[in-house]
Amino acid sequence: MGKVLLVSALALLFSVQLGSSHILSCYFTNWAQYRPPPTIYMPKDIDPCLCTHLLYAFATMKNNKLATFEWNDVYLYSEFSKLKNQNGNLKTLLSVGGWNFGSSGFSAMVASSNARQTFISSVVEFLRKYEFDGLDIDWEYPANRGSPPQDKQLYSVLVQEMRAAFEKEAKTSSKARLLLSAALSAGRDTIESAYQIPQVAEALDMLNIMSYDFHGSWDPMTGECSPLYKSPEDQGGFVDFNVASAMSYWKNSGAPAEKLLVGFPTYGNTFTLKDASNHGIGAPIAGAGTPGKYTQEAGELAYFEICGFLNGATEVWNTAQDVPYAYKGNQWVGYDNIKSFGLKVDWLIKNNYGGAMVWTIDMDDYLGTFCNQGKYPLINVLHKAFGLDKQACTPSATQVPPIPGVTGADGGGGSSSGSSSSGGSSSGGSKSGGSSSGGSSSGGSSSGGSSSGGSSSGGSSSGGSSSGGSSSGHSGMNSAFCVGKSNGFFPNPKNKSQFYQCIGGRTYFQNCSGGLVFDTSCDCCNWA
C-alpha cells in the first residue's frame, strides 16, 4: 500500500512539474520549410497553445558535440523559442539524431567516458544558448544498425549521466532543470535488443514511443501504419505490430505508465497494389505508393494530402484495428483520422498513459483548407481529450530574450553539407528516412531489416539525398536570382549539382552532395 501511495505521489509530482495531467508533445521538422507553397511550414506557423511540448527535429552531432543541421537552424531556433512568449507553460526540446543519422555517431560517442562528457557538456551549453528547455535523443537504435551489443548498456549510461548533469546544472544555475526525453522503438525485437527499460525509464522524463510505421512499403503486403489492435490477418511476429501491444510491453517491462507517451502519426503509409481488384488488408503490393504533391515522398502521404486522395477513393473502416484505410485504382493508404485518434486517446486515458507524442505537427491539416475540418483537426482531438482547451494559454511573464546576432531569415547557422535529416522509426521495421522521427523516404524493412534510400529536405527519391545549402552570395550563384520569382526550387543551369531555393523573393542556393544532381521532376537531389 505504501508503494502504491508513493507511486501515485510521484505521478502527481511529475504531472505538476510539467504543467498538465497529460502531455501533448509535438515534433516540428526543419525540412518542412522546403515544401512547395502553400505548405511551407515554419516555427511562426505553429499554434503555441496547441501542444504542451514542442520538439525541434533535428540537430546533429559533430566531433561528439551537439550541432546545427540546417543552414538556418539558429534563426529557426530563435523563432521556435519565441513561441513561449505567447504560451508561458510551453516547453521546447531539441531532438538530436533521427533515422538518417543512424547509429555510428551515437555509438562512437558513448564508447568512452570522455566522449560522453564532451557531448553532455555541449548539450547543456547549446540548450541554454538557444533557449531550449530540454533534449530529445533519437538514436535509432542502440545495439542495432551497426551499433555493437554493448551499446544497449551504454545507452543507459548516457541517459543516466545526462540526467545527473542536468540536475547538477540546475542547482548551479538556479534555473529550471533541463528536461530529457527520447524517441524509442515500438518493435518488440528492437526494444529487447536496444534498451534496459527500467534504467532508461528512470533517467528520462518522457518516453516517446514511436508507435507507428508498423507496416509500410518495405512489407510485401498492405497494412496499417498505426493500428490500435492486431488484425486477424496478423501472424507470427506481426501479432505485436500494433499500438496496444507495444505500449503494454513497455509498461510491463518496467516503464512507468505516466512517463510513456503514445505515438500518433499525422500521416499515412502508402502502397501500389499488384492487383487493383485485391485491395484488403494483406493484399500483395508492387511497391511504395505515388509521392504526394507536397511532401514528395514515395510511400507516405501527410494527412492534408490524404484528404485530397479520399476524393473518389473507397474508404474502409478497419473494425478489428480501429483505424481506416482507403484505395483508389492501384493506390492504397493506411492512415489515422479524427475517429481513430479519438478511439486511441480514449484508450490512452483509460490505461493511464502519460500522454501523446505526435509525428508531426506540420503534416496535420494546419491550414484547415485541405480537409475542411478546421485547423489541426487530428491534433485538436488530443488537445481536447486532455482538457487543454479548458486551460488558460497566457503569455509568459518573462519574455524569451532574442538570440544574439539573429536578425532575419538568413541569420542562421552557416552551411550544412548533408541532406535535411529525415528521421525514421518503425516498430519492427524501418523506413528509410522514416517517419517517427524524421521525414520519410522509400525503402526499409518491417521485420528488423535495414533499408536503403535517402531522404531529403524537400523530399527526395529513393537513394537520393537533398543537401542543405548556405545563404546567398556563393561564387557562381546569382544572389538576385529569386527577385520577382515565386517560392520554389530552380536548377542552376551552369552546375547540375546546385540549385536555387526562392522564399519570399530571397535567394538561397543549395548543393547536392554525394555525386547527386538536382532533378526538376521531384525538386530533389537524385542520381543522374
Side-chain angles (χ1 to χ4, degrees):
M1 182 65 178
K3 286 184 178 178
V4 172
L5 289 173
L6 177 61
V7 169
S8 299
L10 288 172
L12 178 62
L13 175 63
F14 179 73
S15 66
V16 169
Q17 282 178 333
L18 297 176
S20 172
S21 58
H22 285 97
I23 292 169
L24 178 49
S25 188
C26 304
Y27 279 94
F28 159 83
T29 60
N30 59 359
W31 58 93
Q33 63 179 312
Y34 299 119
R35 289 188 196 140
T39 62
I40 294 169
Y41 194 88
M42 305 289 272
K44 66 180 176 59
D45 299 310
I46 296 172
D47 177 350
C49 297
L50 185 62
C51 307
T52 63
H53 295 64
L54 289 172
L55 287 74
Y56 185 110
F58 285 109
T60 189
M61 195 189 308
K62 295 176 182 174
N63 300 318
N64 297 321
K65 291 183 179 180
L66 191 62
T68 59
F69 189 93
E70 286 294 344
W71 62 276
N72 61 344
D73 268 338
V74 171
Y75 169 70
L76 297 182
Y77 293 166
S78 177
E79 296 295 295
F80 203 68
S81 293
K82 285 179 189 175
L83 296 168
K84 290 183 282 188
N85 292 335
Q86 301 172 66
N87 178 1
N89 292 320
L90 180 66
K91 301 298 181 186
T92 61
L93 289 84
L94 180 62
S95 186
V96 58
W99 177 262
N100 278 5
F101 183 75
S103 262
S104 59
F106 283 114
S107 190
M109 180 267 292
V110 299
S112 74
S113 176
N114 285 343
R116 290 194 305 274
Q117 290 310 309
T118 296
F119 179 64
I120 291 168
S121 297
S122 78
V123 165
V124 172
E125 180 183 359
F126 198 99
L127 297 182
R128 291 304 190 194
K129 180 178 180 179
Y130 297 121
E131 303 290 344
F132 285 99
D133 299 304
L135 183 77
D136 176 64
I137 301 172
D138 190 358
W139 179 352
E140 301 185 32
Y141 303 97
N144 286 267
R145 302 179 68 211
S147 166
Q150 62 265 29
D151 283 356
K152 176 178 181 176
Q153 189 259 336
L154 288 172
Y155 182 79
S156 299
V157 173
L158 172 66
V159 294
Q160 288 165 341
E161 291 179 347
M162 186 80 72
R163 175 63 179 261
F166 284 1
E167 290 178 350
K168 181 180 178 181
E169 189 271 345
K171 290 176 182 176
T172 57
S173 69
S174 298
K175 294 180 179 179
R177 176 178 62 78
L178 292 165
L179 299 171
L180 184 59
S181 72
L184 302 160
S185 176
R188 183 164 298 191
D189 289 347
T190 304
I191 298 167
E192 289 176 347
S193 62
Y195 313 113
Q196 296 175 317
I197 290 179
Q199 292 92 321
V200 169
E202 184 179 14
L204 296 174
D205 291 303
M206 293 164 283
L207 285 75
N208 300 315
I209 308 304
M210 298 185 285
S211 48
Y212 35 70
D213 285 352
F214 285 108
H215 297 283
S217 58
W218 49 87
D219 289 331
M221 71 291 184
T222 59
E224 299 282 10
C225 175
S226 183
L228 182 53
Y229 303 113
K230 76 180 185 69
S231 165
E233 284 82 8
D234 287 336
Q235 302 291 328
F238 284 119
V239 299
D240 295 314
F241 277 33
N242 58 81
V243 175
S245 180
M247 298 306 300
S248 296
Y249 186 75
W250 273 97
K251 182 167 67 172
N252 295 338
S253 300
E258 66 271 13
K259 285 190 177 186
L260 288 166
L261 305 188
V262 180
F264 284 75
T266 56
Y267 66 93
N269 285 335
T270 66
F271 308 80
T272 296
L273 297 166
K274 271 190 176 175
D275 177 359
S277 65
N278 186 359
H279 43 61
I281 295 288
I285 66 164
T290 303
K293 178 180 178 181
Y294 300 103
T295 54
Q296 302 176 346
E297 294 287 356
E300 179 181 289
L301 291 175
Y303 182 66
F304 64 80
E305 292 172 316
I306 291 170
C307 288
F309 176 82
L310 294 178
N311 292 327
T314 301
E315 298 175 66
V316 180
W317 179 257
N318 180 347
T319 304
Q321 300 192 282
D322 274 347
V323 281
Y325 67 86
Y327 57 90
K328 180 164 60 178
N330 68 350
Q331 296 297 296
W332 196 102
V333 59
Y335 62 106
D336 273 272
N337 61 10
I338 288 174
K339 180 179 178 180
S340 66
F341 260 47
L343 291 168
K344 279 183 189 172
V345 74
D346 288 347
W347 171 89
L348 178 162
I349 293 168
K350 179 182 176 182
N351 286 276
N352 301 311
Y353 288 111
M357 173 270 281
V358 175
W359 183 269
T360 65
I361 194 170
D362 48 72
M363 288 197 285
D364 199 353
D365 182 19
Y366 50 86
L367 294 171
T369 56
F370 287 90
C371 304
N372 295 315
Q373 298 167 337
K375 293 183 178 181
Y376 299 101
L378 296 182
I379 300 173
N380 263 311
V381 171
L382 310 178
H383 182 87
K384 291 172 183 174
F386 294 157
L388 296 171
D389 57 327
K390 295 179 173 62
Q391 293 186 12
C393 179
T394 55
S396 173
T398 55
Q399 298 288 288
V400 175
I403 296 171
V406 179
T407 56
D410 58 350
S415 118
S416 157
S417 59
S419 76
S420 187
S421 153
S422 319
S425 132
S426 137
S427 328
S430 41
K431 211 172 181 184
S432 170
S435 100
S436 136
S437 293
S440 138
S441 184
S442 54
S445 121
S446 188
S447 33
S450 64
S451 60
S452 60
S455 79
S456 95
S457 2
S460 83
S461 60
S462 172
S465 149
S466 160
S467 74
S470 62
S471 60
S472 58
H474 186 273
S475 62
M477 303 295 280
N478 179 2
S479 61
F481 178 86
C482 290
V483 175
K485 288 187 172 63
S486 60
N487 289 351
F489 299 92
F490 300 87
N492 176 10
K494 297 180 180 179
N495 188 330
K496 291 183 179 180
S497 68
Q498 295 177 329
F499 60 99
Y500 296 94
Q501 184 191 6
C502 299
I503 302 177
R506 302 187 71 158
T507 304
Y508 306 103
F509 81 87
Q510 311 220 22
N511 290 295
C512 295
S513 58
L516 304 179
V517 298
F518 184 68
D519 182 349
T520 55
S521 69
C522 62
D523 282 345
C524 68
C525 295
N526 209 342
W527 299 113

